[in-house]
Amino acid sequence: MRGRLLILMITVSFLAVFSSCTTRVVTLSPPSDNYNIKLYTIDGNLTLDILSPDDSLIMSVDHLGLMIDSIDFSQGWKLKHYSKTRVNRRWTQPWGENKKMEECYNGMTLDLVHTDGIQMALEIRAFDDGLGFRYRYTLPHAPQHLLQGETTQFVFPREATAWSIPANFESYEFAYRELPLSQTTDANTPFTIRMSDSLYVSIHEASLLHMPEMTLVQRDSLRFGVWLAPSADSTVGFATPIVGTDTITTSFRTITLGRQAIDLINSSLILNLNEPCVIDDVSWIRPMKYIGIWWGMHLGINSWTPDARHGATTTNALRYVDFAAQHHIDAVLIEGWNTGWEQWGGSQQFSFTESAPDMDIDSVIRYAHQRGVEIIIHHETGGNISHYEKQMEKAYQWCQERHIHTLKTGYAGGFPNREIHHSLYGVQHYTHVMQKTATHQLMLDVHEPIKPTGLRRTYPNLMTAEGARGMEWNAWSDGNPPSHQCILPFTRLLAGPMDYTPGIFDLTYQRIQHNPNLRQWNQKDARECRVPSTIAHQVALWTVIYSPLIMASDLIENYEGNPMFQFFEDYNPDIDWSSALQGEIGQYVVIARRSGSTYYVGAITNEEPRNISLPLSFLPANHTFKATIYADGLNAHYLNNPTDYSITHQYVVHNDTLSIQLAPGGGCAIEIKE
Ligand code: NOJ
Ligand code: CA
């Protein structure tokens, strides 16, 4: 795991004149000087301007600081000293959009002292693709400190267009809003803004370990303050008690910058602002394709509870294992295998070691392993963290004894004692699970997670997460419009991989229309719902939405005999290189990935049809490849003809340009094999 290290450190120290009521300016630029940072201390306030090389203002961050123990740290600072660092490091990861990584930045740490003697270090790292900064406060010793908020404000110089979901502390599963920045009242991060034809910005955070999550709230038309998820302890106001330490280190507040929208996707800022891997042996961590006993429950034809409609029966699980073995699929997820589902949504009494009466989990695991298939165990906690934490050790041991290496967790339900999902309490729980599963050699797929912040670099067993509206919403609600999948790569996916669970082929639910078992269990009856996309769009999502655990989510009977499934069968999820090639937020996106010597391209569009001219210049020269193109049929349309497709083959070389026609709500997937 340890990559080749090439670190060049230059440290410049400077003892500043100790005075307030002055303006001091220190500057920092990234390695290629494509923007500049000016950090001002003006009468004790800290302001950071980000400027283009021509000195025009990209944006500012001001009132830098936190509110702790009733002290407003947005003012009263004196700069004591600062030092600069240059880092140029190469590192590799066991899996990722790109396995070979470069971490090149110019850094600066400012040591500041507050009027009442408290010290703060402000650390800034300037990469070519954006910057991160974080605070480290050293407080006087006390049994408890109260983190009452953050004063930091992000300020934009002019009106722009922003894509956001609401700053909700319990969920990320919302439809995106495309709004003028001045009409965006609040946002969760990644918060993405198109400032001009040649300037795109996204605000997020990296390495979220010891803080509640950061959201943004509009203070004034183009000014956004930080709003931290509070603890449930109402006696301390909307604050978070910090116990057992006198040092508060925030996560990095990050600003990704791009000249094109796709630059945001190609950025590795978030990963680079995390610590190196701490797991010595990563041989058990590997990308996988999976299917699962899952969609039937969302459609309402199966149940998680062991009644007549139970999905996770021994017989059904063996059927899924056989299908996986026959179609080169690595793993099978089984939801509803355990006891306690009757109380889901109520008192939450799940057992994570007892299987349902009609599920012989040990036989299923044994049979799967004989056939070379992994089983993905499922832990729905219903949000009852205390109940889960009591069983965790035993449950993870149970998995390890059975050579289970993959766990899907879920937090669909409120936390105990009115604790908040995205609070410090939540962050600490998700961190605890990530660390503990690592010691039991378990890879994680977290649903209802805390948003990804690049921790997968440090803990590469944290494979994937939900944390946005996924496919499930198409089974029981108004669904995700085609534009949703064209927004995700530029927003949520900047944070990290997503288990979107793509690949529904029965887009209008023909198979279940007359199924006597069908029950409405959520917002809508599945018969009133559908997946608003073409089948080629679904196939393209396997490439577009990166996830090292990637699901083909439909009922297996909907794949049997469908030639479009060949793409998934042949797909190698062990990607080593990726590049977003074209795209505009909410309109379309084209992404290429490579595994070994095979390339994959995924292109999707929103409700509009589109012709794309795709130069294949990403292929190595002097090689001939066979391209298999899974495209929309001539008459495809996501509303009235979603299953019209065409599969064609052609030989291609580096100099070729492919012309791709995308239907409304359509897509295209291409496998390019040497
Ligand atoms: C919500 C998750 O997102 C989904 O994948 C899962 O099937 C249900 N909760 C039940 O755990
Ligand atoms: Ca969910």
Side-chain angles (χ1 to χ4, degrees):
M1 174 62 212
R2 307 278 171 260
R4 191 160 59 95
L5 293 186
L6 246 184
I7 309 177
L8 174 66
M9 305 262 283
I10 299 173
T11 307
V12 182
S13 290
F14 180 79
L15 199 66
V17 185
F18 218 81
S19 66
S20 63
C21 302
T22 54
T23 299
R24 296 233 15 239
V25 190
V26 282
T27 60
L28 182 71
S29 303
S32 67
D33 281 329
N34 54 334
Y35 65 90
N36 300 306
I37 299 170
K38 282 192 181 160
L39 192 280
Y40 299 86
T41 54
I42 308 169
D43 293 341
N45 294 306
L46 301 173
T47 298
L48 194 148
D49 281 352
I50 306 168
L51 303 145
S52 297
D54 66 3
D55 250 10
S56 59
L57 184 66
I58 295 174
M59 63 178 289
S60 303
V61 189
D62 61 17
H63 295 81
L64 273 80
L66 302 176
M67 283 275 296
I68 312 169
D69 297 337
S70 301
I71 305 174
D72 175 354
F73 284 108
S74 66
Q75 49 202 352
W77 293 109
K78 290 173 193 166
L79 175 62
K80 279 204 305 184
H81 165 271
Y82 72 89
S83 59
K84 286 188 171 180
T85 316
R86 179 173 296 171
V87 171
N88 185 348
R89 186 191 328 231
R90 275 163 235 301
W91 60 281
T92 55
Q93 45 185 351
W95 55 267
E97 297 90 327
N98 296 287
K99 285 191 185 165
K100 289 188 182 158
M101 304 291 291
E102 281 183 20
E103 183 180 345
C104 305
Y105 67 87
N106 292 333
M108 177 162 73
T109 303
L110 299 107
D111 293 319
L112 298 132
V113 62
H114 196 252
T115 40
D116 53 19
I118 288 164
Q119 317 260 346
M120 190 261 278
L122 169 63
E123 190 190 344
I124 311 174
R125 295 186 188 175
F127 295 79
D128 289 346
D129 52 350
L131 61 136
F133 63 91
R134 66 176 167 190
Y135 311 118
R136 192 175 62 250
Y137 282 76
T138 310
L139 303 164
H141 180 63
Q144 171 180 297
H145 297 284
L146 266 193
L147 173 62
Q148 287 154 318
E150 177 164 341
T151 54
T152 317
Q153 297 187 9
F154 297 88
V155 195
F156 297 87
R158 58 185 175 276
E159 184 63 293
T161 307
W163 286 263
S164 64
I165 53 168
N168 188 296
F169 295 137
E170 297 284 8
S171 176
Y172 304 110
E173 297 187 28
F174 296 101
Y176 279 88
R177 310 167 297 191
E178 176 185 331
L179 289 171
L181 194 53
S182 62
Q183 287 173 35
T184 308
T185 52
D186 60 316
N188 216 310
T189 70
F191 178 43
T192 300
I193 302 128
R194 181 182 183 278
M195 297 190 62
S196 73
D197 285 353
S198 57
L199 181 58
Y200 292 79
V201 173
S202 186
I203 298 175
H204 187 45
E205 58 183 317
S207 193
L208 176 58
L209 285 165
H210 310 295
M211 286 282 287
E213 84 160 1
M214 172 185 100
T215 65
L216 298 169
V217 64
Q218 189 180 36
R219 301 264 175 204
D220 192 5
S221 106
L222 303 175
R223 176 175 278 280
F224 293 84
V226 169
W227 189 19
L228 300 176
S231 78
D233 185 349
S234 54
T235 62
V236 296
F238 283 99
T240 298
I242 307 281
V243 186
T245 177
D246 298 314
T247 307
I248 298 183
T249 306
T250 64
S251 44
F252 279 102
R253 279 71 188 92
T254 65
I255 301 172
T256 310
L257 299 167
R259 295 172 61 82
Q260 307 177 73
I262 53 169
D263 292 344
L264 301 178
I265 303 176
N266 292 326
S267 163
S268 16
L269 181 74
I270 303 299
L271 275 176
N272 274 328
L273 286 169
N274 276 268
E275 294 298 318
C277 178
V278 294
I279 303 175
D280 288 329
D281 171 17
V282 293
S283 58
W284 50 275
I285 301 176
R286 66 174 182 115
M288 293 196 301
K289 298 187 282 192
Y290 76 99
I291 52 172
I293 298 179
W294 181 77
W295 189 234
M297 280 85 90
H298 285 276
L299 290 174
I301 57 165
N302 291 127
S303 61
W304 281 277
T305 47
D307 53 27
R309 298 158 59 241
H310 192 205
T313 61
T314 309
T315 320
N316 205 21
L318 297 178
R319 199 168 67 90
Y320 269 74
V321 168
D322 284 336
F323 184 90
Q326 281 153 19
H327 296 270
H328 312 114
I329 294 164
D330 304 283
V332 172
L333 163 74
I334 307 177
E335 290 203 4
W337 68 275
N338 57 332
T339 61
W341 283 90
E342 297 83 352
Q343 277 91 36
W344 182 30
S347 58
Q348 325 281 5
Q349 291 305 322
F350 290 101
S351 160
F352 302 104
T353 49
E354 297 296 321
S355 57
D358 53 355
M359 159 55 70
D360 181 353
I361 192 74
D362 281 321
S363 302
V364 170
I365 294 170
R366 262 196 311 274
Y367 179 71
H369 288 171
Q370 276 163 19
R371 299 219 59 182
V373 173
E374 303 261 341
I375 296 295
I376 303 179
I377 281 293
H378 182 230
H379 290 174
E380 173 55 68
T381 67
N384 192 343
I385 288 188
S386 33
H387 176 70
Y388 186 52
E389 288 189 343
K390 276 186 215 131
Q391 290 189 66
M392 254 162 66
E393 177 58 31
K394 198 170 142 207
Y396 299 163
Q397 255 175 31
W398 183 97
C399 291
Q400 210 171 0
E401 280 158 15
R402 287 161 179 78
H403 306 286
I404 298 285
H405 281 299
T406 325
L407 177 63
K408 171 177 172 178
T409 55
Y411 296 87
F415 280 7
N417 308 320
R418 305 194 13 223
E419 286 289 355
I420 292 166
H421 270 75
H422 309 161
S423 65
L424 180 61
Y425 174 87
V427 168
Q428 285 170 336
H429 170 76
Y430 291 111
T431 305
H432 184 43
V433 171
M434 172 181 76
Q435 293 171 334
K436 207 167 172 53
T437 47
T439 66
H440 290 274
Q441 301 207 333
L442 282 166
M443 297 184 269
L444 270 179
D445 169 7
V446 188
H447 277 236
E448 297 78 38
I450 188 78
K451 63 191 174 184
T453 58
L455 293 168
R456 60 180 162 135
R457 177 178 178 185
T458 319
Y459 292 94
N461 65 312
L462 179 58
M463 306 295 279
T464 191
E466 191 187 37
R469 270 172 87 133
M471 181 64 78
E472 61 187 21
W473 285 78
N474 291 324
W476 38 254
S477 80
D478 289 337
N480 306 332
S483 59
H484 180 71
Q485 288 86 253
C486 298
I487 298 173
L488 282 176
F490 302 96
T491 52
R492 158 67 182 81
L493 303 188
L494 303 180
M498 177 179 178
D499 187 31
Y500 183 82
T501 59
I504 297 300
F505 280 16
D506 183 9
L507 297 147
T508 49
Y509 311 151
Q510 292 306 306
R511 186 179 293 279
I512 61 157
Q513 293 297 317
H514 305 292
N515 189 318
N517 289 335
L518 196 145
R519 307 266 187 286
Q520 180 182 342
W521 71 283
N522 209 319
Q523 295 173 18
K524 283 175 93 170
D525 184 308
R527 282 167 298 205
E528 293 159 27
C529 305
R530 60 178 296 158
V531 182
S533 100
T534 67
I535 190 166
H537 182 111
Q538 290 297 307
V539 176
L541 290 181
W542 283 319
T543 304
V544 169
I545 300 187
Y546 176 71
S547 181
L549 300 177
I550 184 86
M551 186 178 199
S553 54
D554 210 341
L555 309 172
I556 50 177
E557 39 278 43
N558 292 329
Y559 296 135
E560 293 279 12
N562 193 323
M564 289 294 266
F565 195 61
Q566 195 62 43
F567 180 89
F568 191 75
E569 242 185 279
D570 296 341
Y571 184 75
N572 187 342
D574 193 6
I575 296 299
D576 46 50
W577 168 89
S578 300
S579 182
L581 303 171
Q582 301 178 26
E584 278 300 336
I585 309 171
Q587 296 178 30
Y588 75 107
V589 66
V590 186
I591 298 185
R593 305 197 193 278
R594 185 191 67 207
S595 173
S597 58
T598 302
Y599 290 77
Y600 306 102
V601 176
I604 55 166
T605 181
N606 60 4
E607 292 74 358
E608 299 299 320
R610 220 169 285 275
N611 291 345
I612 287 171
S613 168
L614 178 69
L616 299 180
S617 49
F618 57 87
L619 296 176
N622 306 320
H623 291 251
T624 303
F625 292 85
K626 184 181 176 192
T628 305
I629 305 170
Y630 300 80
D632 287 321
L634 279 180
N635 300 312
H637 193 298
Y638 78 102
L639 288 176
N640 55 29
N641 198 9
T643 49
D644 184 20
Y645 69 84
S646 89
I647 302 177
T648 53
H649 304 274
Q650 73 185 74
Y651 287 95
V652 295
V653 293
H654 165 91
N655 290 332
D656 288 340
T657 296
L658 290 181
S659 167
I660 303 173
Q661 272 79 52
L662 305 177
C668 179
I670 313 175
E671 183 208 58
I672 309 176
K673 220 174 163 58
E674 201 170 355

